[in-house]
Amino acid sequence: MTDTLLEIENLRVAYPSAHGYTDALRGISFSVGRERLGIVGESGSGKSTAGRAAMRLLPPKARVSADRLQLQEIDLLAASERQMREIRGGRLAMVLQDPRYALNPMKTVMAQITESCRLHTKCSRAEARDQALDMLEAVHIRDPRRVARLYPHELSGGMGQRVMIAMMLIAKPQLVIADEPTSALDVTVRGQILDILNERVEAEGAGLILISHDLPLVADFCDRVLVMYGGQIMEELAARDLSAARHPYTVALNESLPPLDRKVAELTVPEHDPKWLEQRR
Amino acid sequence: MTPAVEIRDLTITFGQGRARVKAVDSASFRAAPGEAFGIIGESGSGKSTILRAITGLNDDYTGDVLIDGQQAQKPRTKAFFKTVQMVFQDPYGSLHPRRMIRATLAEPLEIHRFDRKDDRIAQVLNDVGLAPEFAYRYPHQLSGGQRQRVAVARALLLEPRILLLDEPTSALDVSVQAGVLNLLDRLRRDRGLTYVMVSHDLRVIAHMCSRVAVMTQGRIVEELSADALRDQRAETEYTQQLIRASRGTAHA
Amino acid sequence: MTDLPGSPPQSTLRGWLEAPGATSPGQARAQAAWRSWQRLVANKAALAGLIVLLALIFLAVFGPALTPYDPMAQNLSERLLPPSGAHPFGTDDLGRDIMTRILYGARITLMMAALVAVIAGPIGLIVGATAGYLGGWTDIVAMRVVDIFLSFPSLILALAFVAALGPGIENAVIAIALSAWPPIARLARAEALTVRKSDYIAAARIQGASRFRLILRHVMPVCLPSVVIRITLNMAGIILTAAGLGFLGLGAQPPSPEWGAMLASGRQFMLTSWWLAAIPGAAIMVVSLAFNLLGDGLRDVLDPRDD
């Protein structure tokens, strides 16, 4: 991770609620280079908000502030909506949880991928088609010509997620944000999808942020991990050290997971402790 | 000993003509009284379909469903539901959105003409670790874990001996899941309940159950003990693959 | 390990209504009603509609006390007088005070609206929820009947019923109710179809609930909000249909001060004495608009899904 792709400093997000504003992110700072960065946390921890804030995809009613939100030379905070449209899908791509909802049900696979390609690179229709077929092959779809003619509802979950990866990566983005890309998939296909994602990201020399609630998966897949809780980053550590984390929240999360290698009489239920928020590392 | 739940050659088909598919293909298993029996499989494997057939929510099946050695009647009788109850996967969908928790919990008591309704509701809420005031909430005022506890409470009100659990924690965070799993485990031991639990999560199944059936494409391909599962002593290729994927060693 | 509800209840009424956790069924219901009320108040247009309708009810109840005139008494020496201090809305061709007649007419309009809602609402809800939940032959038969009713414009259908039953305000109400329930049934059926497969219905079945209980206690409460919204929005159409029947001479009969009939009899004087037609016309418009605005607002109030 020599050069920094995305740099975030003191990012705060709040949503309007019945009694003033409710904080979703309380000042988080991190940077990501050409590496696999994992962001783990439970629902409501703010992990998805962080990803969406970087894409500037939060709803207009959200109150966003940051000291710095920089994608290489571009100041994302100052970028116009028009510039953002070029950046999204062009330099920054996002892979979402469920391809059934993220793909347009009325368009064929081919139409969606070529559209994404032509929006961000100045290529002809024929070039876009060729690139799309190459891309489908690159995500290990055996018969790209057949699959290209299908509609999203005709795809299985794993196949849909490959198509989404193809669509998101065809414009050769510098940074891919994957928000729970495998949570809607069966266990036995999760590994394949992550391998494909990793392969593509490495081939393009891009960075990857993997947002997930699944600690073992992130520990296994990423280089570096941020643990989030209550809209803050609790700790940052190397992924291989995740099972030996020392922050009480991470420890509690690890312990609450039913172990696969031994029998335990009772699981440890994390008692949420307000002090966690002060023990940031 | 007579099994509490036994299914024999259970076959369920959906659709007609060329679109006809066997969702469950001659599945058989037995769960002894007081045992936690698990069924693991991926989406579309037919595991939840088996539970719906046992409860009679779908009684369009062939084969046998035996409760305490007795053939379950079609359609199921009211008495059947005092023996067999079920907890659904999605706590956001299984509680009526417009009814107060108290109304949801009072319903089985009204149908089966139980007395002391308020006492029983307060007691069962206590049993699942909720304060009595939760009776006066609406579902949207509760968290996912609290809703699932209410769903468990509802299933317990009729004092059944058999509980069918359809992915009871898959919609919950792990820290919340731990609490619900502990609750279910304690209830089974304290009350001598028999569980048939369905899940896609090997960790959950291995933790909760003593014996596990592995399902794929409508068939039970293997039945093994939880110890064998933990020690990775599976016989079929599919089960081995499932274990590898769950342990997170499926890729580099 | 017990989850505790939030802070203890406060002593003021507002505190009691906004306390994070209710401690009795009554408080829980009051809190739910209070949240609905706050959502309604937040929608200014709906609030305006509600105020107009409350004013209409007030005038219908106390109207006779607010005017010195008799709605039926003719006074040919004062015919076709333009609006003035003595007659704020002028007088008609028989010298009757138009404001007095509008006030008395409000009773008729409200009575008709209420009667139609009471007849068409339950029929539509019961037919729709039952057909949607049971499915199969019940559904097919019920929906074909609905289709037949829907294939006629409601005014034409009402005309046919009135022609068969004879003119008069009671028959007009029956005719309008008979033409108003089918769209409501179809709406209720659509809602019932979406809930019949839901887990909470399955859960209730596993408690041993009968079909009757499922439809009455589980399916109907889900269909009810959209039915109420629909009826409120339809109310404008119902008032217009009633006015139309009155206008055609098939609803309320002269000398009844029904707004539609007043509009019809004022038509021939429209060029010389505009107030005869314009005043009842404006009354119909204001009430229809109020119902529409309120119906729109009820959508926000009764749909607490995104709470």
Side-chain angles (χ1 to χ4, degrees), chain A residues 190-202:
Chain A
R190 280 181 193 175
Q192 298 166 17
I193 294 298
L194 283 180
D195 285 344
I196 290 169
L197 191 59
N198 186 36
E199 199 178 297
R200 284 294 92 214
V201 166
E202 275 187 353

Side-chain angles (χ1 to χ4, degrees), chain A residues 258-260 262-263 267, chain B residues 36-41 47 51 165-169 177 181 185 188 195-215 224-227 229-230 239 242-243 246:
Chain A
L260 255 182
R262 64 202 142 85
K263 172 83 186 149
L267 299 169
Chain B
F37 185 84
I39 305 176
I40 187 162
K47 56 191 193 304
L51 292 194
L165 306 165
D166 187 4
E167 305 250 19
T169 58
Q177 164 175 288
L181 291 182
D185 208 34
R188 184 179 63 82
Y195 284 174
V196 177
M197 181 176 190
V198 152
S199 179
H200 70 279
D201 190 332
L202 199 74
R203 288 176 180 272
V204 170
I205 283 280
H207 174 69
M208 292 291 291
C209 303
S210 50
R211 274 186 318 128
V212 180
V214 182
M215 273 194 92
L224 69 171
S225 70
D227 291 330
L229 211 55
R230 273 190 285 269
T239 313
L242 201 65
I243 295 175
S246 301

Side-chain angles (χ1 to χ4, degrees), chain A residues 20-69:
Chain A
Y21 279 81
T22 311
D23 291 326
L25 285 179
R26 302 156 192 254
I28 62 164
S29 307
F30 67 92
S31 61
V32 58
R34 301 186 194 287
E35 58 176 331
R36 290 163 299 199
L37 174 70
I39 303 183
V40 291
E42 299 193 285
S43 50
S45 63
K47 58 187 193 301
S48 290
T49 309
R52 286 176 180 266
M55 297 281 285
R56 291 249 320 259
L57 275 176
L58 294 173
K61 63 178 181 184
R63 200 172 61 184
V64 184
S65 72
D67 294 347
R68 209 169 143 82
L69 196 61

Side-chain angles (χ1 to χ4, degrees), chain A residues 36 41-44 47 184-192 194-195 198 213 215-217 220-221 249 253 256-270 272, chain B residues 41-44 172-182 185 189 200-204 206-209 227 229-231 238 241-243 245-252:
Chain A
R36 290 163 299 199
E42 299 193 285
S43 50
K47 58 187 193 301
L185 305 178
D186 283 330
V187 211
T188 47
V189 283
R190 280 181 193 175
Q192 298 166 17
L194 283 180
D195 285 344
N198 186 36
H213 69 280
L215 268 77
L217 179 123
D220 204 36
F221 182 78
Y249 174 65
L253 267 191
S256 68
L257 203 63
L260 255 182
D261 46 1
R262 64 202 142 85
K263 172 83 186 149
V264 291
E266 199 168 343
L267 299 169
T268 316
V269 181
H272 290 258
Chain B
E42 299 188 291
S43 56
L172 308 176
D173 275 326
V174 281
S175 62
V176 181
Q177 164 175 288
V180 174
L181 291 182
N182 283 345
D185 208 34
R189 278 184 279 110
H200 70 279
D201 190 332
L202 199 74
R203 288 176 180 272
V204 170
H207 174 69
M208 292 291 291
C209 303
D227 291 330
L229 211 55
R230 273 190 285 269
D231 302 346
Y238 178 76
Q241 194 191 342
L242 201 65
I243 295 175
S246 301
R247 299 182 80 92
T249 48
H251 56 94

Side-chain angles (χ1 to χ4, degrees), chain B residues 147-199:
Chain B
R147 288 182 201 215
Q148 201 58 309
R149 284 170 191 266
V150 171
V152 173
R154 170 175 57 190
L156 292 176
L157 273 168
L158 294 177
E159 295 164 14
R161 281 175 291 117
I162 297 161
L163 217 49
L164 309 176
L165 306 165
D166 187 4
E167 305 250 19
T169 58
S170 70
L172 308 176
D173 275 326
V174 281
S175 62
V176 181
Q177 164 175 288
V180 174
L181 291 182
N182 283 345
L183 168 71
L184 288 170
D185 208 34
R186 199 191 72 222
L187 288 169
R188 184 179 63 82
R189 278 184 279 110
D190 291 355
R191 304 184 176 211
L193 297 172
T194 308
Y195 284 174
V196 177
M197 181 176 190
V198 152
S199 179

Side-chain angles (χ1 to χ4, degrees), chain A residues 6 16 26 28 40 44 50 62 73 83 85 161 166 168 180 185 196 217 220 229 234 236 254 261 271:
Chain A
L6 177 71
R26 302 156 192 254
I28 62 164
V40 291
E73 78 285 359
Q83 282 173 296
R85 274 203 293 272
Q161 204 56 299
M168 289 305 175
E180 303 270 8
L185 305 178
I196 290 169
L217 179 123
D220 204 36
Y229 174 70
M234 290 291 105
E236 181 190 328
N254 274 327
D261 46 1
E271 293 290 340

